[in-house]
Amino acid sequence: MEYIDLRSDTVTQPTPEMREAMAKAPVGDDVFGDDPSVNRLQELAAARVGKEAGLFVPSGTMGNLIAILVHCGRGDEAILGARAHTVLYEGGGISYLGGVHSRQLMEQPDGSLALEEIEALIRPEDVHQPSTRMISIENTHNRCGGTFQTPEYLRSLGAFAHARGLVVHMDGARLFNAAVAQNVEARELAGPVDSVTFCLSKGLCAPVGSVLCGSRAFIDRARHIRKHLGGGMRQAGVIAAAGIVALETMVERLAADHARARNLAEGLNEIPQIQLDGMPPTNMVFFNLADSVKLTVEQVEAKMRERGILVHATGKRRFRLVTHYWIDDVAVEKTIAGFEAVLG
């Protein structure tokens, strides 16, 4: 059966154009720095986000970890949102592998970190305390509903941090969703921060990889840490080629995913058994099951699967649906009808 898969935009598969590019990609040994496809991808990525250099890494998790290990030493502290991907879904790697202490504060509803609350968490220089070195911000913010950060906020955050001797890293796994949703260039969002990572393998549809971008000095150090983590890939141009196609052809069309997410949300909002969080700002639809629904989320998942629709529960009564390249208008209509049938 061919499923409608709304579990995540990580399920996207490479397009025919990407597969062709992968088959024809010129390759070399990237650890030696001589894979032309990887080099082109890194240059293209850096230009798109307004940074001096980029580094191709296997995953966004590795990109975030590398960034924090560059910015912080053992025993240093990073300020992050309590619902950030780095906190919830990256295995505590910054502490386990880097000895970096995380200090967390609850995000605002839009996923931002209130500057006055960050101020209260910055440590004084004291031998008894870790040293605050950096702030990490997520854009778009997954657990806050796919919300995005504005250029104005990010400029304020960057200026705030730099005035206090801190650096800012942006987990921009879905950075281009944030840019398209606001009709701005990604470099406007990444400009105020010191480093940024974004995924090629979500809404941009490439099969593997993320790119970490920053200054040349930052990337030089990041390359060393990537090697320490086992992230040096040899003839990686085979997969980098798909990333090039992604950046050249898949960014602008993210607006279609956002529109379909809104259409999906509007349809689900008509179902009494669904309590919608609100209209999605990007490509994620969050909702809870009403108290009147006696089915468990596992039962709902199973019944939807029987109808050829894959959905993912994120809590005891909660779901997240994610639109992407492989979700068309028909899929949206079938999903709305499926929930009506299962919950009715």
Side-chain angles (χ1 to χ4, degrees):
M1 178 184 292
E2 186 173 339
Y3 288 98
I4 295 168
D5 197 340
L6 289 152
R7 293 173 298 173
S8 177
D9 47 7
T10 61
V11 304
T12 53
Q13 298 185 15
T15 65
E17 185 180 358
M18 290 178 185
R19 293 178 186 273
E20 181 179 1
M22 293 166 72
K24 297 178 178 179
V27 300
D29 191 321
D30 179 50
V31 175
F32 288 128
D34 62 10
D35 188 303
S37 297
V38 172
N39 291 342
R40 183 182 170 204
L41 170 62
Q42 291 172 164
E43 292 167 3
L44 179 61
R48 290 296 296 258
V49 299
K51 298 300 181 188
E52 291 180 345
L55 183 68
F56 188 38
V57 294
S59 70
T61 293
M62 182 180 284
N64 289 333
L65 175 59
I66 291 171
I68 293 174
L69 297 189
V70 172
H71 292 312
C72 298
R74 301 189 69 84
D76 287 341
E77 185 168 77
I79 296 175
L80 307 98
R83 292 174 288 182
H85 192 277
T86 299
V87 171
L88 297 179
Y89 301 116
E90 297 182 6
I94 65 171
S95 299
Y96 182 71
L97 297 172
V100 177
H101 189 265
S102 72
R103 197 165 198 198
Q104 303 161 25
L105 71 158
M106 187 58 66
E107 297 91 339
Q108 300 299 300
D110 66 356
S112 64
L113 302 176
L115 300 188
E116 63 273 17
E117 294 183 11
I118 297 175
E119 182 82 73
L121 296 187
I122 298 173
R123 307 272 191 176
E125 286 300 324
D126 186 327
V127 69
H128 300 94
Q129 301 183 37
S131 298
T132 307
R133 297 298 184 207
M134 65 167 290
I135 302 164
S136 181
I137 191 76
E138 188 171 327
N139 193 22
T140 65
H141 199 300
N142 178 4
R143 299 303 290 178
C144 289
T147 51
F148 51 75
Q149 303 310 309
T150 66
E152 294 76 18
Y153 169 75
L154 291 166
R155 286 194 292 268
S156 296
L157 177 64
F160 170 91
H162 298 153
R164 289 156 180 78
L166 308 179
V167 297
V168 181
H169 171 66
M170 181 189 291
D171 174 2
R174 297 178 175 89
L175 175 64
F176 290 97
N177 289 91
V180 168
Q182 301 177 79
N183 195 29
V184 301
E185 295 293 331
R187 64 176 61 90
E188 291 188 52
L189 303 176
V193 305
D194 299 276
S195 60
V196 57
T197 187
F198 64 84
C199 291
L200 299 163
S201 56
K202 293 186 170 74
L204 298 186
C205 237
V208 181
S210 294
V211 186
L212 173 64
C213 298
S215 68
R216 293 195 187 281
F218 171 85
I219 292 299
D220 285 345
R221 179 60 184 150
R223 190 178 298 277
H224 281 271
I225 295 177
R226 185 186 70 172
K227 183 65 174 177
H228 298 163
L229 298 175
M233 300 177 286
R234 299 296 180 174
Q235 286 70 38
V238 172
I239 50 177
I244 293 169
V245 175
L247 286 176
E248 291 180 338
T249 69
M250 302 298 288
V251 172
E252 286 72 21
R253 65 145 308 279
L254 292 173
D257 297 342
H258 300 171
R260 290 191 174 104
R262 289 190 293 272
N263 292 341
L264 177 59
E266 289 171 357
L268 295 175
N269 200 38
E270 297 299 317
I271 302 174
Q273 296 87 350
I274 285 178
Q275 298 173 338
L276 194 71
D277 277 14
M279 287 299 110
T282 53
N283 67 325
M284 298 182 184
V285 180
F286 284 84
F287 65 86
N288 292 311
L289 299 178
D291 292 340
S292 60
V293 177
K294 303 307 178 186
L295 298 172
T296 66
V297 290
E298 291 81 10
Q299 290 171 325
V300 173
E301 287 178 339
K303 289 179 178 294
M304 291 293 284
R305 177 183 283 270
E306 291 171 1
R307 289 165 171 78
I309 304 166
L310 303 181
V311 297
H312 176 59
T314 60
K316 291 184 177 180
R317 307 288 291 173
R318 188 165 178 79
F319 283 88
R320 182 193 73 164
L321 309 182
V322 186
T323 55
H324 49 77
Y325 179 82
W326 300 102
I327 300 299
D328 58 16
D329 293 334
V330 173
V332 169
E333 294 171 4
K334 288 183 176 179
T335 300
I336 294 167
F339 274 108
E340 286 178 329
V342 168
L343 301 178

